[in-house]
Amino acid sequence: MPHTPTRPPRLKRSMRIGTIAASLLIGGSIVIAPAVSSAVTIQPMAVIGHGYQQIVDGKLAPLGSYQQDGVFLYCGEMHKIGPWTGTHKVGNQAWPGVSADDNARVSMVVETFGQRVVAATRENQNMHAAVQLYVWDKIDHADFVKDGGERGIVAQRAPADQHADILAKLQTIRNAAKDLTARPAVASGKIVPITDPATKQITKVRVEGLSPADATGTLTLDGAVFADTGTKTITGVVNGQTLDVRQMLPDDAADYTVKVSGDFFIKDKTAYQGQIGYWESGTDEQKTVGPGPKAPTRFALNAQQQVSSIFSPVAGTQVASTYVKKGQQFQDQWKFGVASGSQPWRQLADGSYLPVTAKGTLYGPFQARPAEAEQPPANAPVASHATVTTDPKTGPTGEYTATGDETAKEGGYYTWVVGIDQADQSERTAKNIPAGYAWNDRFGQVAETHIVPSAIRFNTSLDKNQVEIGGTFTDTITPSVHDGTWIRDDEGKRVAVKLRGVAYWTPEKPAVSDTVPKDAEPIQTQYATLTDVEPVDAEPLTLPKDKTSGFVSLRWCIDDRTKQFGQMVEAFCDQFGLPSETVEIVPPTITTKAQPTAQASAGDTVQDNAHVTGPIPADGLDTTFEGFLQPAHITKAEQITPETAVCTPGNRIFTSSKTTVITKAGVHPSEKFKTDGVLPDNRVIAWVETSKVGGTDHQVSKGVCGDVAELTSSHKPAPTPTELAFTGSGPMTPWLIGGGIAALTGIAIYAGLLIRRRRDQIAPVDETPSAA
């Protein structure tokens, strides 16, 4: 609808206007003024700026801008008269009933497109006409549609040949404004440093409450770096984002302020609030629209927080090896950290860690495992010391080996106590730990305890130095402690020491040595347990029956098959062949004497005799006798020697039908063997005695075939004496002859009884072996 001009109520500056509307060309614009009295002074009018106007139904119908005080304004109400009487700016405000975003869009369009003036008049006219169409569409939409929208309005108010260009420009304006949103008049937001409750360190930074909410920005840290990048600056930060940070103190500071600055911006190069420039005219004249207020497109946020770099270093330790042998060094593994609630370990700008010095004291030896306590006992013995200073490169992230300045010398328990004292630190480190700081770990922790094995030694002694075959003897073990103490277990008892003793047999008396000779034969194993320094008797040892002579020597060692070996107790063996640990196996001495002569007549017998002296085996002796008939050409005992005698199964004529069991010393005859029909005249028998350990096949003695004492000669029975004719010798002659024969026979028997033989493995007891 065309505007209806009316008379202005007052004038701000004088000008004469004719009663007929005069056309005045101002800067290429058409100015149409209403008719007024020549005597009335009116205010400056809002003049037509750029655009078109037509007389529609006898009324002026403009399409374009007005100009007031150098600003191009646009009608906000289509069906009211224009601001002919002049207009003034009320301020910036939202057009009633229009959204904040549309207010911002109108403001942007009026400023960006509606203030544009170029040399080409048509360009200006068409652009301002397009701006007016956009303004009506947004803030007076109902009348805009009622008048036919942009096409209907353009058809009424603009030259036909300009319609297309005006509509094209309107589309350009719409495209430019469609995504624009109203921005707040004042940008705001917060940067919130977040502190770890335990360490009191700033560990995170959060951006929140940004307005505009879609602003993005760059954060810059002072006194910290971003954990993910290690840099002080990070870009692309958005609302609600939380970033991890790591404090980085100035090298010379202990207390300082961490600062965070943020530079935020929005994507629009120019931003507008949800308002327009609001202009008013006379009472009946319409309100006009000018550029509204802009919104900030870039804003800054800042935050800071006072922090401290004072940290409380501590150390955790673990012995490198629980068990340490004498002569070895004590070693402890140390790992460093900070106490609960402490600031992190101080790092310098180059990333290095402040070095911290810790000192360790090793207490011991103790007989029993020490009880855990806050402090060592008064007057606790000190065995060693160690000092470690952390590496600036690795600081608390590395592991350190602390080596004691003394080696292990005595058996027992040893435990470390590690301490960190401000007085032991460098000047820079001392400034960054609490004043008077002194920390130490607990005494007696299992993880910090070494065990040096006890040196248990022992002397041993057998209750015998000689023993019979298969005999029994007992070993007595007397322990002692060497270099230190006898370690006690967790129950307070001395650690039980298991011993293993091995009995070795040798044919000859052994020499004392630290090792067992290769030819020594192990024959038995014994065990014993030591729990005190009092002597202990091992279980009695009974010799095997097959060892009928020689020597047996015991050697004891701490049993290496027990868990205490090498851990709680040192390895130790006594020497081999010690006289106190050696016993001689003494067999019995057996001599034999056969019946010297025998007859082969009916009822006659012959036998052998064994004379036994010395220790008898515990199970006695089983003795048998055999007689061997010598070849026929041998008729006298004097013809036989051990080298010429023959004793084989083929010429054996006598053998014991049962064993003679000997359990005590003395003379033990064989059974009587019948000679009738077995023993020829004028022959010789060679006897062989065999003795074995009772109930076994283990031989103790065996006679020698052809031994002179073991020969029996056979002869015919002597004829019955008859009285011979006296031949001149008188009646005494036969008696003298018989007496002489008897005397000679007696001498021979006496000589035979004196003949002794040495048996293999036999030593004479009460007779001279060489006697004949």
Side-chain angles (χ1 to χ4, degrees), residues 324-330 406-410 414 452:
V324 179
K325 295 181 180 179
K326 287 190 180 75
Q328 291 182 338
Q329 288 183 307
F330 297 101
E406 296 289 342
T407 59
K409 296 180 175 64
E410 300 179 51
Y414 297 79
V452 176

Side-chain angles (χ1 to χ4, degrees), residues 15 81 241 345 371 405 478 517 607 613 700:
M15 65 179 299
I81 63 173
Q241 186 171 357
W345 198 286
D405 55 6
T478 303
Q607 64 183 157
T613 60
V700 177

Side-chain angles (χ1 to χ4, degrees), residues 325-559:
K325 295 181 180 179
K326 287 190 180 75
Q328 291 182 338
Q329 288 183 307
F330 297 101
Q331 289 189 326
D332 205 14
Q333 301 298 119
W334 295 0
K335 288 184 176 181
F336 290 84
V338 295
S340 176
S342 167
Q343 300 280 14
W345 198 286
R346 174 67 191 276
Q347 283 184 271
L348 303 180
D350 61 1
S352 64
Y353 295 88
L354 281 183
V356 171
T357 297
K359 292 185 177 181
T361 302
L362 183 66
Y363 293 92
F366 301 100
Q367 186 177 31
R369 185 183 296 278
E372 189 170 330
E374 286 293 335
Q375 298 293 332
N379 302 318
V382 175
S384 188
H385 298 89
T387 299
V388 166
T389 299
T390 61
D391 187 340
K393 292 182 180 179
T394 56
T397 66
E399 184 172 299
Y400 301 85
T401 298
T403 301
D405 55 6
E406 296 289 342
T407 59
K409 296 180 175 64
E410 300 179 51
Y413 292 90
Y414 297 79
T415 188
W416 286 97
V417 173
V418 179
I420 300 174
D421 198 300
Q422 186 190 34
D424 297 328
Q425 311 307 316
S426 66
E427 181 179 356
R428 174 177 282 178
T429 300
K431 286 172 55 179
N432 283 271
I433 62 177
Y437 186 75
W439 171 89
N440 63 268
D441 61 355
R442 290 174 62 82
F443 169 84
Q445 296 182 79
V446 173
E448 294 188 78
T449 299
H450 294 290
I451 298 175
V452 176
S454 292
I456 306 301
R457 302 291 185 262
F458 43 82
N459 295 317
T460 55
S461 178
L462 300 177
D463 62 345
K464 300 175 182 178
N465 57 17
Q466 287 187 331
V467 68
E468 71 275 16
I469 297 171
T472 299
F473 54 88
T474 301
D475 204 358
T476 299
I477 306 164
T478 303
S480 61
V481 182
H482 181 72
D483 290 340
T485 183
W486 192 323
I487 291 176
R488 294 179 182 267
D489 59 22
D490 292 339
E491 296 179 356
K493 299 177 181 179
R494 288 186 177 90
V495 171
V497 179
K498 306 290 186 179
L499 301 185
R500 182 170 179 262
V502 178
Y504 295 91
W505 177 86
T506 55
E508 304 295 335
K509 186 175 183 178
V512 177
S513 65
D514 292 331
T515 57
V516 179
K518 293 181 179 180
D519 58 352
E521 178 186 347
I523 57 173
Q524 276 199 33
T525 300
Q526 282 192 301
Y527 298 94
T529 300
L530 306 178
T531 59
D532 206 335
V533 293
E534 296 300 321
V536 173
D537 287 339
E539 290 293 324
L541 189 150
T542 299
L543 292 175
K545 298 172 184 178
D546 63 333
K547 301 305 178 187
T548 58
S549 63
F551 295 82
V552 173
S553 185
L554 266 76
R555 190 192 195 208
W556 289 93
C557 293
I558 294 176
D559 193 352

Side-chain angles (χ1 to χ4, degrees), residues 634-679:
I634 297 176
T635 59
K636 297 180 180 180
E638 292 82 356
Q639 295 177 281
I640 297 177
T641 66
E643 290 75 20
T644 60
V646 178
C647 297
T648 65
N651 68 329
R652 184 172 55 202
I653 59 174
F654 299 122
T655 185
S656 295
S657 61
K658 62 180 180 178
T659 299
T660 300
V661 178
I662 301 174
T663 59
K664 60 182 180 179
V667 177
H668 299 274
S670 69
E671 63 185 274
K672 293 181 179 182
F673 300 100
K674 294 180 179 181
T675 60
D676 185 21
V678 178
L679 178 63

